[in-house]
């Protein structure tokens, strides 16, 4: 098994990991494949575990969240991956910082804000237009898909 601990610790990896000890998912996936001999590990194991943790955390609190029509809330999730590729949710931020404090957060925040506008503004408008065109009561379903990127901190 590759030595993940030594791969991550010490001064030798700072240049590879980058500012803020953060990688974009694409970079982390590429590193797992090229440096650790685990191609596809991110897409097949880590990302599904992250999605499951997010879904589970939201389902745990859905009855406690005050639902106010016309409002939205953004959550930020932090994860860490252990040497066996176990994925651990560290924390959930109810008002995550959107500052471009590192090159990775700059890319992620810009992309997330763009996607957020699509979901909050464009998607409801598209649904209303589809209802008008179809003359239905709006019982059509939208396909689920990824909305935001992830940050491994």
């Amino acid at each position: 098994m590759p030595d993940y601990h030594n791969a991550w610790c010490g001064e030798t990896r700072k240049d590879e990991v980058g500012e803020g000890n953060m990688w974009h998912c694409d970079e982390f996936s590429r590193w797992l494949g090229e440096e650790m001999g685990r191609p596809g590990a991110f897409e097949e194991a880590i990302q599904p575990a992250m999605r499951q943790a997010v879904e589970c955390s939201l389902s745990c609190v859905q009855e406690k969240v005050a639902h106010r029509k016309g409002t939205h809330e953004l959550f930020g999730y932090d994860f860490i991956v252990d040497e066996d590729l176990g994925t651990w949710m560290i924390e959930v931020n109810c008002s995550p910082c959107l500052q471009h404090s590192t090159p990775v957060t700059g890319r992620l925040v810009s992309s997330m804000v763009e996607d957020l506008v699509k979901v909050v503004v464009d998607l409801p408008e598209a649904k209303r237009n589809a209802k008008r065109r179809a003359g239905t009561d709006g019982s059509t379903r939208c396909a689920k898909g990824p909305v935001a990127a992830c940050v491994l901190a």
Side-chain angles (χ1 to χ4, degrees):
M1 169 171 282
D3 188 355
Y4 291 100
H5 177 75
N6 287 333
W8 278 95
C9 296
E11 297 294 318
T12 58
R13 293 313 244 202
K14 281 189 177 179
D15 60 326
E16 194 172 322
V17 175
E19 187 181 347
N21 292 321
M22 206 178 281
W23 271 334
H24 187 278
C25 296
D26 296 339
E27 295 160 344
F28 185 49
S29 178
R30 190 171 24 263
W31 181 81
L32 283 170
E34 294 173 3
E35 299 293 325
M36 295 294 130
R38 300 291 305 263
F42 182 80
E43 297 79 6
E44 295 166 13
I46 297 168
Q47 192 172 39
M50 290 174 151
R51 288 180 189 273
Q52 183 180 16
V54 170
E55 289 173 8
C56 186
S57 70
L58 292 172
S59 69
C60 287
V61 298
Q62 68 183 354
E63 300 300 323
K64 303 290 183 193
V65 176
H67 299 282
R68 293 179 304 249
K69 186 175 179 160
T71 65
H72 305 279
E73 188 159 353
L74 176 67
F75 296 97
Y77 284 78
D78 293 338
F79 293 91
I80 192 165
V81 179
D82 67 25
E83 63 188 17
D84 297 320
L85 301 183
T87 305
W88 300 87
M89 182 173 59
I90 299 172
E91 67 178 348
V92 181
N93 300 294
C94 61
S95 295
C97 177
L98 300 181
Q99 189 175 27
H100 294 201
S101 55
T102 70
V104 173
T105 56
R107 282 175 52 199
L108 291 174
V109 168
S110 297
S111 176
M112 183 278 307
V113 168
E114 207 173 295
D115 287 346
L116 185 65
V117 170
K118 290 176 187 173
V119 170
V120 173
V121 177
D122 297 343
L123 185 59
E125 183 61 29
K127 283 182 177 181
R128 282 191 295 275
N129 290 339
K131 286 180 196 176
R132 283 188 213 119
R133 283 192 303 272
T136 67
D137 61 356
S139 59
T140 57
R141 294 184 176 184
C142 291
K144 291 184 178 180
V147 176
C150 65
V151 176
L152 301 174

